[in-house]
Amino acid sequence: MKKLYLVLLLLLFSICSFAQSRYISVTTKKIVYARDGGACRCCGSSLNLEYDHITPFSCGGGNDVSNIQLLCQKCNRSKSNSCTCKIHNRIVGVNCCDRSVSRNRSSASTSRKSTSTSSQCTGTTKKGARCRNRTSSTNGRCYLH
């Protein structure tokens, strides 16, 4: 009986671990590639393409087709955990701090002004690293901590 509980516990744990994975399925990749025309959504390059989360994975963004886009390596690296490609100064994602989609440059500058009072979360991740989220709460921690 204990073995059965152990097996069920391990099965449940493995399902939960897989659900929180950054893994993007082959089907999702094919759909996104066709939708984006095989080019970077920021600069239009077709070299060194990567699959990027529109809402960052660290902010709870999923791996479904509506949250994945194609970006070239330069644009993806400059975007990092933000919503702006710093090379081309274009909005290519969702602002992780206030969870709003910025559509134009004026709203991007407004978003930057509103987040200037926020600070980096003082919490730590499961791996022991410092949390990269920003927060404006009085306790200094983001919604995950």
Side-chain angles (χ1 to χ4, degrees):
M1 196 63 163
K2 288 182 180 180
K3 288 182 181 180
L4 180 61
Y5 286 124
L6 181 62
V7 170
L8 288 175
L9 183 65
L10 288 173
L11 181 63
L12 180 63
F13 179 72
S14 65
I15 290 171
C16 292
S17 296
F18 184 73
Q20 297 174 354
S21 170
R22 287 181 177 258
Y23 174 76
I24 300 171
S25 70
V26 175
T27 306
T28 300
K29 287 181 179 181
K30 287 180 181 179
I31 293 170
V32 169
Y33 190 88
R35 181 194 67 203
D36 294 350
C40 175
R41 299 216 33 203
C42 181
C43 67
S45 172
S46 59
L47 301 174
N48 298 325
L49 295 175
E50 297 179 345
Y51 294 91
D52 172 61
H53 290 85
I54 297 170
T55 300
F57 184 80
S58 62
C59 294
N63 295 332
D64 53 338
V65 174
S66 63
N67 192 46
I68 303 294
Q69 64 184 347
L70 275 177
L71 291 180
C72 68
Q73 187 176 21
K74 286 183 180 180
C75 292
N76 194 16
R77 297 296 190 266
S78 74
K79 175 189 174 235
S80 185
N81 202 29
S82 68
C83 62
T84 308
C85 171
K86 290 157 188 74
I87 295 173
H88 302 100
N89 199 23
R90 293 190 182 149
I91 306 300
V92 290
V94 174
N95 188 338
C96 195
C97 296
D98 63 5
R99 296 231 181 253
S100 64
V101 177
S102 301
R103 295 286 181 199
N104 57 35
R105 292 174 197 236
S106 63
S107 66
S109 63
T110 311
S111 295
R112 281 189 213 117
K113 288 177 187 173
S114 66
T115 59
S116 64
T117 59
S118 65
S119 60
Q120 187 172 0
C121 175
T122 57
T124 57
T125 63
K126 290 180 181 178
K127 293 183 179 179
R130 185 169 179 193
C131 179
R132 292 172 36 183
N133 292 338
R134 299 193 62 80
T135 183
S136 57
S137 69
T138 56
N139 67 0
R141 295 181 178 256
C142 68
Y143 69 98
L144 295 172
H145 302 107

